[in-house]
């Protein structure tokens, strides 16, 4: 969705002053030694993988295969592995995941491990690869509706309950965050102190349908309360749409991403998002610009 007529707002419709740059004082965590593939080279692989440790892998789909260029996450525990998202159309995600699983099994002297395929939310650029996993042995693909997500993870009081999901010696927190989309979740890993934040928070355009504003505000309020009680080294989302210039994004469907903002965001951006969402934000096409993300109201969407 394009951001025509974008201007930095001095006063919001509600009359509140737009606070944009408090996050500048927060140090930016750096987790990845390599530059992410960004479409600027004549040749680049269809996916790139960077490990956070021997049990945690971040996968990026090339912008040359799909302009969304999403990030996916593969986490291993003793008893099962969790893949968060399967990528956008024309991605080749399963071969990369199969290689990572095979390498992990070899390193641990194992023959197999169950794979759980879940989703940060149910939009097409995060679930397009599901079909390739449905016939994969020893693999469970979680459903795409909120009630299916809640049932699988054991969330009895969706979206108000945060639950523990055990991989085997590695307990994750599953945080329901409807707002961008009805079935959205975040995943917190206390081992690495990372928060996998999907499309609710990442360096880019945070699309909020105007009919889901209340849901999004409530989700981010719960997230902020969670963050106050848990150490978070970095917030890792599902896209990069911001340049390294504060407040400047790429055009919609950009074919290359030169000088990208880093994927990782500091925990302070959660509070900045919570504050920004207090504005009226009921007019599609009137974004609220921050240094590291842009809150972007969009027309009402169905569930």
């Amino acid at each position: 969705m394009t951001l025509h007529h974008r201007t930095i707002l001095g006063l919001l419709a509600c009359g509140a002053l737009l606070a944009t740059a408090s996050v500048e004082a927060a140090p930016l965590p750096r987790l990845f030694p390599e530059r992410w593939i960004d479409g600027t080279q004549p040749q680049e692989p269809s996916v790139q993988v960077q490990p956070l440790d021997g049990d945690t892998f971040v996968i990026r789909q090339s912008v040359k295969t799909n302009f969304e260029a999403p990030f996916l996450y593969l986490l291993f525990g003793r008893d099962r592995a969790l893949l968060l998202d399967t990528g956008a159309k024309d991605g080749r995600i399963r071969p990369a995941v199969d290689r990572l699983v095979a390498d992990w099994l070899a390193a641990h002297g194992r023959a197999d491990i169950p794979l759980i395929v879940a989703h940060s939310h149910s939009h097409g650029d995060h679930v397009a690869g599901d079909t390739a996993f449905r016939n994969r042995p020893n693999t469970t693909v979680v459903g795409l509706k909120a009630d299916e997500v809640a049932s699988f993870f054991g969330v009895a009081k969706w979206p108000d309950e945060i639950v523990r999901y055990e991989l085997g010696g590695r307990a994750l927190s599953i945080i329901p965050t409807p707002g961008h989309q009805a079935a959205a979740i975040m995943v917190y890993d206390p081992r690495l102190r990372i928060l996998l934040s999907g499309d609710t928070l990442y360096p880019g355009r945070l699309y909020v349908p105007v009919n889901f504003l209340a849901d999004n505000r409530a989700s981010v309020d719960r997230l902020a309360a969670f963050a106050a009680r848990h150490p978070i080294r970095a917030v890792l989302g599902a896209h990069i749409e911001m340049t390294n210039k504060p407040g400047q994004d790429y055009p919609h469907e950009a074919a290359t991403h030169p000088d990208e903002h880093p994927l990782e965001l500091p925990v302070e951006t959660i509070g900045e998002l919570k504050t920004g969402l207090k504005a009226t934000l009921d007019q599609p096409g009137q974004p609220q610009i921050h240094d590291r993300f842009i809150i972007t109201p969009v027309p009402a969407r169905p569930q």
Side-chain angles (χ1 to χ4, degrees):
M1 188 163 298
T2 58
L3 295 178
H4 296 306
H5 314 301
R6 185 157 35 121
T7 57
I8 297 178
L9 305 178
L11 292 174
L12 298 173
C14 64
L17 183 65
L18 173 62
T20 61
S22 59
V23 73
E24 288 184 331
L28 191 65
R30 298 306 297 263
L31 301 182
F32 303 103
E34 298 178 15
R35 169 181 165 182
W36 288 108
I37 52 175
D38 58 9
T40 59
Q41 301 302 313
Q43 301 292 327
E44 69 178 31
S46 59
V47 297
Q48 178 187 8
V49 178
Q50 294 201 60
L52 289 173
D53 66 9
D55 297 322
T56 313
F57 302 88
V58 184
I59 305 166
R60 189 183 201 178
Q61 181 176 337
S62 170
V63 70
K64 289 182 178 291
T65 67
N66 192 287
F67 72 91
E68 298 281 7
F71 289 84
L72 302 78
Y73 299 89
L74 180 62
L75 290 74
F76 289 89
R78 181 182 60 250
D79 300 329
R80 60 187 57 87
L82 175 71
L83 174 65
L84 190 65
D85 291 342
T86 61
K89 182 181 178 182
D90 296 326
R92 292 181 283 277
I93 303 303
R94 179 171 165 182
V97 171
D98 284 347
R99 285 193 299 271
L100 290 169
V101 172
D103 289 348
W104 188 91
L105 291 171
H108 291 80
R110 299 271 297 271
D112 200 5
I113 187 170
L115 176 66
I116 307 302
V117 178
H119 312 90
S120 62
H121 62 294
S122 300
H123 285 157
D125 52 319
H126 302 270
V127 308
D130 280 14
T131 301
F133 288 91
R134 293 194 189 281
N135 63 354
R136 187 181 185 277
N138 208 8
T139 299
T140 301
V141 179
V142 179
L144 301 181
K145 297 180 180 179
D147 60 346
E148 294 173 314
V149 176
S151 176
F152 180 85
F153 287 111
V155 182
K157 297 179 180 179
W158 179 278
D160 298 317
E161 183 182 13
I162 296 172
V163 299
R164 174 186 172 117
Y165 185 69
E166 181 62 63
L167 297 182
R170 188 176 194 179
L172 308 174
S173 292
I174 307 299
I175 308 169
T177 52
H180 174 72
Q181 194 273 331
I185 61 171
M186 293 189 184
V187 177
Y188 173 68
D189 174 28
R191 176 196 292 184
L192 297 182
R193 295 179 290 124
I194 55 174
L195 178 72
L196 309 182
S197 56
D199 277 11
T200 300
L201 179 56
Y202 64 93
R205 298 179 290 275
L206 309 182
Y207 296 117
V208 184
V210 294
N211 54 325
F212 297 147
L213 272 169
D215 292 338
N216 203 59
R217 289 173 178 136
S219 291
V220 174
D221 285 350
R222 287 191 300 272
L223 176 64
F226 179 90
R229 303 189 305 269
H230 298 81
I232 297 175
R233 179 185 179 192
V235 178
L236 301 177
H239 302 279
I240 301 174
E241 296 169 347
M242 302 298 287
T243 71
N244 263 321
K245 182 179 179 181
Q248 180 65 57
D249 59 341
Y250 297 103
H252 182 59
E253 299 192 21
T256 61
H257 287 192
D259 301 317
E260 277 189 329
H261 190 287
L263 172 64
E264 49 268 54
L265 292 173
V267 65
E268 288 83 1
T269 52
I270 295 172
E272 186 180 4
L273 177 59
K274 177 182 176 180
T275 299
L277 286 169
K278 293 184 183 300
T280 303
L281 296 172
D282 58 357
Q283 295 297 318
Q286 294 187 10
Q288 185 191 102
I289 300 172
H290 297 250
D291 285 353
R292 293 173 177 165
F293 59 83
I294 300 172
I295 301 174
T296 308
V298 296
R301 291 176 175 172
Q303 291 282 345

